[in-house]
């Protein structure tokens, strides 16, 4: 009995110390996931490349071979072209890349999610996108002056009907 | 690798000896890591169910409900939350120590691969349960976890839409996504429970409950800590900002800083490699094990004692195949048998007294037959002389697991049937027997120490015969780091036995020829 009391006391102290240690490490030390005085810019959107460049008209012979209800005059590649996106910050291009189409057959939209850390403060942002490989011009472009606060999350999204959205 | 393992093993053995003095060998937490893991799982499950009563799964309401239960309801729901968190953290600690300990004790290879292999997914399920749980609080830490996790997941080519897009702006997060997380936080722990159950399927009498005293100590300590240091909340999540500095739970989220610093492809490749390496460890290299136990039907009456005693569920009783008038016979699964010999020690036919014909028992180890053990005992006796002769029957994993004069080393001391001790004493091979097993807190073959104690205490079949004086038997449970204890313990025992004198001849000659009493075709219901 005396021995058990000893075990209860000593074992209790050890268990308590262990549990306190666990509780302390359960919330500390803190982790700095991003440098101080920085803001996070996320460039993220979904957009389908324009595949009209790959389309061609069917010849009358080709059309004649098709059943009447399937005689679409144009035929296009199933695969979509990649989209090309550039992001310029204070006149310097910090991101420029092509995003391939998604899906096994490449028939899905291109999807973009990029994290970019910027120092807090004012910045000039310009974002451009080209979705047609047949063209050299950017079909979509937007510019915005922003004043980013430290720890701010800033998003550049895109909607086909309204173009780039700064949030 | 062997050097690291040996060092770790010695370290564990020493630490466990210290804990033996603080907790007692039966409450030693390092010898109860598995049962403690189960106990902590149930604490987490119980507190989780209780918290769910008060938890609101809405995007905005989630944080508010956690704040409410941690604030004004601190004495019950707040306590439950802190217990939920700290028990989860302690579960991670217990699990990882369990992993390292089993590796260092070399209890993961050969026929014991199954428990190791099925334990690997348990690790990931524990982490996934914890991560999805942190998400639900929807404070700044949850936001950090959600963002980091989804960005890591998006690196896999499985998801149509980047999941991280759900966390772009406050408007982009829908309540439905949150409901999915609640579902995951229930489904993943249920899968974890399933994996834990599979994990213990290849061991008999698996311990899933720690000793009551240890359970009480653990629970009380967790409650005290939960009141003293309630689990913190780190302010509501705000998707228009980035939680740059968060108080991290280093047990469950300890890898998140690495995820921040290393590209996702490296993380996934590393996770995959670690999983493959961990899963494959039992075969790197495989352990060469002795041949599995073999049943000799002429000497098996289907009493099922071997089935009861096998620590690895390697023996089953099947209908009789030889026409003998017994309903069943023992059958050994060679894929599970580790050749510990415990079945041989449990067989009522395992009597070394028999003199006619070859010594065959109902269940025997081909690589270490009972006949060979008897010969080794007789040979070892030749090294003993003078008053107080002590023959040591040693476990190869314990302190006495090194060759010495007058010592017979077995894979497990429970391989020795009680009739062997009787044989040694009544045949005047020694004046006493020291049974030197593993440390009392934890038998290498799980149950060998317990069965040996019960057999010589005459509470478990096959029992030690009454004519064997208990004074002439010493049980010494000591781990490999306690070799220094042996000489003194044996010297003291020898001195005590010397005072007793040699075993009286009258006893030694009584009714042992052919060992008919021990060989009797006893069954469990009608023990000899």
């Amino acid at each position: 009995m005396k021995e058990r009391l000893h075990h209860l006391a000593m074992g209790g102290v050890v268990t308590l110390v262990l549990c306190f240690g666990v509780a302390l490490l359960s919330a500390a030390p803190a982790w700095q996931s991003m440098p101080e005085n920085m803001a996070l810019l996320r460039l993220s959107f979904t957009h389908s490349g324009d595949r009209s460049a790959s389309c061609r008209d069917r010849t009358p012979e080709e059309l004649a071979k098709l059943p009447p209800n399937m005689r679409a005059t144009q035929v296009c590649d199933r695969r979509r072209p990649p989209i090309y996106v550039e992001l310029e910050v204070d006149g310097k291009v910090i991101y420029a890349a092509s995003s391939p189409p998604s899906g096994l057959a490449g028939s899905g939209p291109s999807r973009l999610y990029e994290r970019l850390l910027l120092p807090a403060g004012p910045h000039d942002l310009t974002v451009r996108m080209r979705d047609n490989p047949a063209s050299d011009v950017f079909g979509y472009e937007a510019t915005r002056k922003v004043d980013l606060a430290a720890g701010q999350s800033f998003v550049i999204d895109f909607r086909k009907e309204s173009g780039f959205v700064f949030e | 690798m062997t050097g690291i393992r040996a060092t770790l093993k010695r370290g564990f053995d020493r630490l466990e000896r210290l804990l033996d003095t603080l907790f007692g060998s039966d409450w030693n937490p390092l010898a109860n890591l598995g049962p403690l893991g189960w106990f902590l799982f149930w604490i987490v499950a119980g507190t989780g169910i209780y918290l769910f009563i008060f938890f609101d799964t809405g995007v905005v309401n989630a944080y508010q409900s956690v704040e409410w239960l941690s604030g004004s309801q601190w004495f019950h729901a707040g306590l439950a939350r802190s217990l939920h968190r700290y028990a989860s953290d302690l579960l991670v600690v217990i699990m990882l120590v369990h992993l390292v300990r089993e590796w260092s004790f070399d209890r993961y290879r050969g026929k014991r691969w199954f428990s190791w292999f099925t334990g690997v997914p348990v690790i990931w399920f524990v982490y996934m349960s914890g991560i999805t749980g942190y998400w639900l609080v929807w404070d700044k830490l949850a936001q950090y976890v959600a963002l980091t996790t989804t960005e890591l997941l998006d690196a896999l080519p499985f998801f149509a839409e980047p999941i991280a897009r759900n966390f772009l702006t406050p408007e982009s997060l829908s309540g439905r996504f949150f409901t999915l997380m609640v579902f995951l936080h229930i489904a993943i722990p249920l899968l974890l429970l399933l994996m834990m159950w599979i994990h213990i399927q290849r061991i008999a009498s698996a311990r899933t409950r720690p000793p009551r005293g240890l359970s009480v100590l653990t629970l009380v300590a967790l409650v005290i800590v939960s009141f003293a240091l309630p689990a913190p909340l780190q302010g509501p999540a705000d998707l228009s900002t980035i939680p740059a500095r968060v108080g991290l739970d280093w047990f469950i989220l300890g890898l998140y800083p690495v995820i921040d610093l290393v590209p996702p492809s490296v993380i996934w490749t590393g996770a995959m490699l670690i999983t493959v390496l961990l899963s494959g460890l039992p075969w790197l290299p495989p352990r060469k094990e002795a041949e599995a136990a073999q049943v000799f039907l002429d000497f098996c009456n289907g009493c099922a004692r071997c089935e009861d005693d096998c620590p690895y569920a390697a023996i089953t009783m099947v209908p009789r195949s030889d026409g003998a008038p017994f309903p069943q016979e023992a059958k050994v699964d060679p894929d599970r048998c580790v050749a510990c010999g415990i079945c041989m020690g449990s067989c009522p036919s395992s009597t070394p007294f028999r003199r006619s014909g070859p010594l065959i028992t109902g269940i025997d180890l081909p690589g270490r037959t009972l006949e060979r053990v008897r010969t080794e005992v007789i040979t070892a006796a030749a090294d003993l002389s003078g008053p107080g002769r002590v023959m040591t029957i040693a476990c190869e994993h314990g302190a006495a697991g090194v060759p010495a004069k007058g010592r017979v080393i077995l894979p497990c001391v429970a391989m020795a049937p009680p009739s062997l001790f009787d044989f040694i004493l009544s045949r005047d091979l020694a004046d006493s027997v020291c049974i030197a097993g593993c440390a009392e807190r934890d038998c290498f073959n799980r149950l060998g120490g317990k069965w040996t104690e019960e057999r010589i205490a005459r509470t478990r079949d096959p029992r030690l015969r009454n004519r064997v004086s208990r004074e002439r038997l010493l049980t010494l449970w000591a781990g490999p780091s306690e070799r220094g204890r042996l000489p003194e313990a044996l010297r003291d025992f020898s001195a005590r036995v010397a005072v007793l004198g040699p075993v009286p001849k009258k006893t030694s000659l009584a009714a042992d020829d052919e060992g008919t009493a021990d060989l009797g075709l006893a069954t469990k219901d009608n023990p000899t």
Side-chain angles (χ1 to χ4, degrees), chain A residues 12 29 66 81 89 91 93 97 137 141 162 165:
Chain A
L66 292 170
V89 178
V93 175
V137 295
E141 183 166 339
S162 52
V165 179

Side-chain angles (χ1 to χ4, degrees), chain B residues 99-425:
Chain B
L99 176 94
V100 176
R101 186 172 181 269
E102 294 306 297
W103 180 79
S104 68
F105 279 47
D106 200 9
R107 296 198 287 213
Y108 65 99
R109 290 191 295 162
K111 310 287 173 61
R112 294 175 85 161
W113 67 272
F114 183 83
S115 299
W116 178 274
F117 188 79
T118 53
V120 175
V122 168
I123 299 172
W124 293 122
F125 276 106
V126 165
Y127 278 113
M128 284 192 287
S129 301
I131 290 165
T132 50
Y134 268 110
W135 202 309
L136 294 182
V137 181
W138 207 230
D139 61 353
K140 290 202 184 306
L141 177 62
Q143 184 186 346
Y144 166 73
V145 171
L147 206 56
T148 312
T149 310
T150 50
E151 285 174 358
L152 182 67
L153 287 171
D154 284 335
L156 297 172
F158 306 141
F159 302 100
E161 184 85 6
I163 317 172
R165 278 184 57 77
N166 286 289
F167 304 99
L168 283 180
T169 60
E171 296 76 33
S172 56
L173 183 59
S174 80
R176 207 172 295 169
F177 190 83
F178 229 76
T179 309
L180 172 70
M181 290 314 299
V182 174
F183 168 75
L184 284 178
H185 193 53
I186 295 169
I188 293 172
L190 283 174
L191 287 171
L192 168 64
L193 182 60
L194 174 69
M195 288 312 302
M196 286 165 66
W197 178 75
I198 293 172
H199 179 58
I200 57 168
Q201 283 311 294
R202 278 211 179 177
I203 47 175
S205 313
R207 291 185 306 138
T208 54
R209 277 183 301 179
R212 191 169 295 171
L214 183 60
S215 309
V216 170
L217 285 180
T218 310
L219 185 59
V220 169
L222 281 171
V223 169
I224 292 172
V225 170
S226 298
F227 277 130
L229 295 172
L233 267 174
Q234 303 192 21
D238 175 9
L239 290 175
S240 64
T241 63
I242 291 293
R245 190 175 175 80
V246 283
L248 211 59
D249 179 338
W250 291 92
F251 299 101
I252 291 172
L253 308 172
L255 281 176
Y256 275 64
V258 184
I259 297 173
D260 277 346
L261 301 171
V262 176
S265 54
V266 177
I267 297 289
W268 285 117
T269 310
M272 227 153 42
L273 283 178
I274 287 171
T275 306
V276 170
L277 183 71
L278 271 182
S279 306
L281 265 187
W283 297 276
L284 295 172
R287 185 168 48 211
K288 283 180 188 162
E289 269 167 332
E291 213 177 317
Q294 201 176 343
V295 177
F296 293 89
L297 287 182
D298 287 348
F299 298 88
C300 171
N301 67 0
C303 69
R305 286 183 186 121
C306 52
E307 184 195 33
D308 286 349
D309 282 8
C310 176
Y312 305 103
I315 300 170
T316 45
M317 302 311 293
V318 296
R320 201 78 195 185
S321 64
D322 62 349
F326 304 108
Q328 49 189 7
E329 65 187 41
K331 187 181 177 204
V332 178
D333 181 350
D335 289 337
R336 295 189 182 190
C337 177
V338 304
C340 63
I342 290 177
C343 53
M344 189 174 107
S346 75
C347 182
S349 300
S350 294
T351 169
F353 286 101
R354 218 167 336 132
R355 284 189 290 208
S356 58
L359 177 54
I360 299 170
T361 179
I363 188 161
D364 214 343
L365 288 186
R368 195 79 181 274
T369 59
L370 179 63
E371 184 160 34
R372 187 175 144 195
V373 172
R374 182 173 70 175
T375 308
E376 287 175 23
V377 162
I378 293 168
T379 309
D383 292 330
L384 301 172
S385 59
R389 293 169 302 157
V390 181
M391 164 116 31
T392 305
I393 302 296
C395 160
E396 67 183 20
H397 306 286
V402 285
K405 283 187 175 176
R407 187 177 296 178
V408 175
I409 301 170
L410 301 175
C412 177
V413 284
M415 178 178 171
S419 54
L420 184 72
F421 312 136
D422 186 8
F423 178 79
I424 293 165
L425 297 175

Side-chain angles (χ1 to χ4, degrees), chain A residues 44-51 80-85 98-102 106-113 128-133 138-140 157-164, chain B residues 160-162 165:
Chain A
S44 175
F45 55 86
T46 299
H47 180 66
S48 297
D50 181 0
R51 58 183 176 187
R80 290 185 179 278
I83 59 169
Y84 176 76
V85 180
S98 286
S99 289
S102 56
S107 55
S110 298
R111 297 190 171 103
L112 190 68
Y113 183 91
R128 307 181 187 95
M129 178 174 67
R130 190 167 58 220
D131 62 359
N132 189 337
F138 288 96
Y140 302 92
D157 206 338
F158 177 84
R159 282 167 206 131
K160 194 167 184 184
E161 60 279 10
S162 52
F164 285 105
Chain B
E161 184 85 6
R165 278 184 57 77

Side-chain angles (χ1 to χ4, degrees), chain B residues 446-457:
Chain B
R446 299 191 59 245
L447 302 167
K450 188 170 184 247
W451 294 163
T452 303
E453 284 282 15
E454 290 179 9
R455 287 173 193 165
I456 61 174

